[in-house]
């Protein structure tokens, strides 16, 4: 007697459809208006968080550090543009620093005869610049981040040219230009007479100038150190001092602070400064001695400001964003279950009767056991069967 045992082959389709985890049938899920409302609100909140967090990440911040200034060999560039209410023939502008070098080694400032009185367009421009610069000086600590992020290096434009010339002769002198100085303390001054260099220092010669001609009323259009940079306010720009006295001494005490600016696209070295001013009339009879003129006395700070533009890394941004989304989704599920539980209590239902919401717990469903002797017949491919092992046994009768 022959008995043949054949093992059937499991098809690839059956393997793909095999799922060891229980699933919740659609008929077991109960939809509710509360669950739908919570889901919609949850997704709207997620979209808003993604938008706000992306904007926050794209926005940069600035970090300010103070370090000792050890760059002693660097040069200091000064930019000046001012008008003095005295013709250029009677005044001179020069500079002397603590090294007592030749004043002509740093270059010369340009002098141009002009009119002291401004026309309507020029007066409007200058008054606007003065008001805006005064506001920025007072509110600088509240606006400094906005100024650094603006990327606007030039806060004010140039003074508009005159369209018509006055009929009276020119009675003022415009002094402008850029000088490259040693990075030490110095004194830039505008005083009566032309300067004459000496082996040690210099003198100003004014042989034919009377006291009545010495009017040092002045208007500062530009006064800065270094290259222009966003976020830096020059407090002396827009300053105007007018006097009717013949001999006045104006003094500006300036503290220059080196500043290194590192952004994502550029690195630069510039300077910012603070200033105190003092003025008094010169009257030798009353004991007020001195030399009439305008004196800018500057000194270098021992500390340097390092401005760094930075932003969170991409990994930190993704980690923070994913944690907020997951937390909001879980909290929405808790809120949905809580609301359904409260409604069920008011309606007299048992807790847990509702099963809808983002984090609902499915009922316990167990898969039906598969008999051990079940035979699954199929093929791995529709047309190509696999080889089947055949066991043949022979039973002999005794």
């Amino acid at each position: 007697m022959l008995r043949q045992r054949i093992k059937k082959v499991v098809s690839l389709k059956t393997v793909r459809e095999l799922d060891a985890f229980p699933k919740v049938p659609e008929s077991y899920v109960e939809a509710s208006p509360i669950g739908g409302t919570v889901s919609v609100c949850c997704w709207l909140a997620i979209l808003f968080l993604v938008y706000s967090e992306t904007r926050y990440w794209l926005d940069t911040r600035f970090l300010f550090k103070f370090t000792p200034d050890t760059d002693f060999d660097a040069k200091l560039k000064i930019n000046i543009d001012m008008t003095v209410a005295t013709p250029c023939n009677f005044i001179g502008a020069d500079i002397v620093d603590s090294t007592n070098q030749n004043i002509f080694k740093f270059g010369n400032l340009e002098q141009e005869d002009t009119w002291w009185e401004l026309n309507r367009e020029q007066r409007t421009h200058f008054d606007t610049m003065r008001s805006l610069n005064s506001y920025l000086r007072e509110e600088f600590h509240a606006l400094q981040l906005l100024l650094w992020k603006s990327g606007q290096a030039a806060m004010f434009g140039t003074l508009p040219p005159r369209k018509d010339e006055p009929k009276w002769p020119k009675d003022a002198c415009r002094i402008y230009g850029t000088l490259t100085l040693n990075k030490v303390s110095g004194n830039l001054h505008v005083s009566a007479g032309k300067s004459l260099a000496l082996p040690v220092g210099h003198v100003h010669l004014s042989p034919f100038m009377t006291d009545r001609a010495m009017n040092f009323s002045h208007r500062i259009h530009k006064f800065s150190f270094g290259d222009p940079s966003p976020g830096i306010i020059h407090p002396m720009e827009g300053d105007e001092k007018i006097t009717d006295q013949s001999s006045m001494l104006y003094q500006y005490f300036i503290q220059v602070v080196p500043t290194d600016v590192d952004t994502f696209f550029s690195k630069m070295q510039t300077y910012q400064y603070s200033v105190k001013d003092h003025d008094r009339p010169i009257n030798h009879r009353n004991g007020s001695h001195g030399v009439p003129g305008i004196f800018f006395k500057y000194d270098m700070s021992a500390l340097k400001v390092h401005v760094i533009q930075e932003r969170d890394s991409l990994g930190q941004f993704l980690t923070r964003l994913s944690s907020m989304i997951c937390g909001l989704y879980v909290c929405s599920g808790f809120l949905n279950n809580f609301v359904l539980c409260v409604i069920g209590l008011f309606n007299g239902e048992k807790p847990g009767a509702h099963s809808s919401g983002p984090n609902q717990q499915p009922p316990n469903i167990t898969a039906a056991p598969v008999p051990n002797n079940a035979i699954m017949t199929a093929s791995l491919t529709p047309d190509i069967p696999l080889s089947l092992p055949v066991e043949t046994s022979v039973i002999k009768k005794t």
Side-chain angles (χ1 to χ4, degrees):
M1 180 179 178
L2 297 175
R3 185 175 64 182
Q4 186 177 9
R5 183 179 298 169
I6 301 176
K7 292 183 179 180
K8 299 298 181 179
V9 180
V10 180
S11 66
L12 182 60
K13 179 180 179 181
T14 304
V15 175
R16 289 177 177 175
E17 293 179 353
L18 178 63
D19 194 350
F21 298 96
K23 301 297 181 183
V24 180
E26 294 293 335
S27 59
Y28 291 174
V29 179
E30 179 183 355
S32 65
I34 297 177
T37 304
V38 172
S39 299
V40 171
C41 295
C42 176
W43 284 109
L44 291 178
I46 289 175
L47 292 177
F48 174 76
L49 285 178
V50 171
Y51 171 75
S52 60
E53 284 297 317
T54 304
R55 285 195 58 185
Y56 176 78
W57 180 71
L58 292 176
D59 192 13
T60 59
R61 59 179 178 269
F62 287 88
L63 181 64
F64 300 89
K65 296 181 179 180
F66 294 90
T67 58
D69 184 21
T70 58
D71 192 4
F72 304 108
D73 298 331
K75 295 296 182 180
L76 177 65
K77 185 167 64 174
I78 181 173
N79 312 294
I80 184 172
D81 187 358
M82 61 181 300
T83 303
V84 183
T86 302
C88 296
N89 295 331
F90 301 110
I91 59 176
D94 49 62
I95 189 169
V96 176
D97 63 8
S98 58
T99 61
N100 291 324
Q101 295 185 9
N102 192 341
I103 60 176
F104 299 104
K105 181 180 179 180
F106 307 126
N108 295 322
L109 294 174
E110 300 293 334
Q111 297 185 7
E112 176 183 324
D113 288 320
T114 184
W115 291 273
W116 171 254
E117 194 71 25
L118 299 177
N119 59 18
R120 180 178 300 177
E121 295 180 357
Q122 292 176 335
R123 172 52 62 181
T124 301
H125 173 84
F126 187 82
D127 291 343
T128 303
M129 179 179 64
R130 179 173 54 183
S131 300
L132 180 59
N133 203 30
S134 176
Y135 174 77
L136 293 177
R137 290 197 303 265
E138 295 176 358
E139 304 294 337
F140 177 74
H141 293 286
L143 301 174
Q144 61 174 343
L145 293 180
L146 180 61
L147 295 175
W148 283 107
K149 294 178 182 179
S150 66
Q152 186 71 24
M155 299 297 297
F156 317 106
T158 58
L159 193 69
R162 292 179 179 269
K163 296 182 179 179
D164 51 347
E165 296 184 356
K167 298 180 180 180
W168 60 87
K170 297 179 179 180
D171 55 354
C173 181
R174 179 193 174 196
I175 303 173
Y176 63 96
T178 300
L179 300 177
T180 302
L181 315 174
N182 297 319
K183 197 176 176 181
V184 294
S185 59
N187 183 359
L188 170 66
H189 51 272
V190 179
S191 57
K194 298 299 180 180
S195 60
L196 177 63
L198 298 177
V200 179
H202 67 284
V203 296
H204 286 261
L205 302 178
S206 55
F208 303 105
M209 188 173 183
T210 61
D211 293 340
R212 293 184 178 180
M214 296 183 184
N215 189 347
F216 287 101
S217 300
H218 58 279
R219 186 184 300 120
I220 300 177
H221 307 278
K222 181 178 181 181
F223 196 98
S224 62
F225 295 89
D227 298 325
S229 173
I232 295 181
I233 300 299
H234 309 296
M236 294 178 61
E237 294 183 355
D239 194 9
E240 184 179 30
K241 298 292 182 64
I242 300 178
T243 181
D244 55 355
Q245 300 186 19
S246 57
S247 298
M248 284 291 298
L249 172 62
Y250 295 95
Q251 292 177 310
Y252 295 90
F253 302 94
I254 304 171
Q255 185 73 19
V256 184
V257 181
T259 305
D260 294 345
V261 183
D262 293 346
T263 63
F264 295 145
F265 305 103
S266 64
K267 293 184 179 181
M268 64 180 307
Q269 295 180 352
T270 184
Y271 300 88
Q272 51 186 331
Y273 66 92
S274 61
V275 60
K276 297 180 179 179
D277 61 291
H278 175 71
D279 58 84
R280 60 184 176 89
I282 300 299
N283 192 334
H284 298 287
R285 295 180 180 179
N286 297 333
S288 178
H289 304 289
V291 179
I294 308 169
F295 293 83
F296 302 94
K297 299 180 180 181
Y298 61 90
D299 194 6
M300 302 300 302
S301 174
L303 294 178
K304 176 173 61 176
V305 179
H306 193 188
V307 184
I308 305 173
Q309 185 182 17
E310 61 179 13
R311 175 190 292 158
D312 291 339
S313 63
L314 182 61
Q316 293 176 336
F317 165 69
L318 294 178
T319 302
R320 184 172 63 249
L321 185 62
S322 59
S323 62
M324 296 179 65
I325 292 176
C326 295
L328 182 60
Y329 186 77
V330 172
C331 292
S332 65
F334 292 156
L335 177 63
N336 177 68
N337 293 335
F338 175 75
V339 173
L340 291 177
C341 182
V342 172
I343 294 178
L345 292 177
F346 279 102
N347 295 335
E349 299 178 2
K350 294 182 179 180
H354 295 275
S355 59
S356 61
N359 293 326
Q360 61 185 358
Q361 299 295 332
N364 294 329
I365 301 174
T366 58
V370 180
N372 294 330
N373 58 353
I375 300 176
M376 304 174 66
T377 59
S379 58
L380 288 176
T381 58
D383 299 329
I384 304 176
L386 297 178
S387 60
L388 305 175
V390 178
E391 293 183 2
T392 305
S393 61
V394 179
I395 302 176
K396 297 182 180 180
K397 292 182 180 181
T398 57

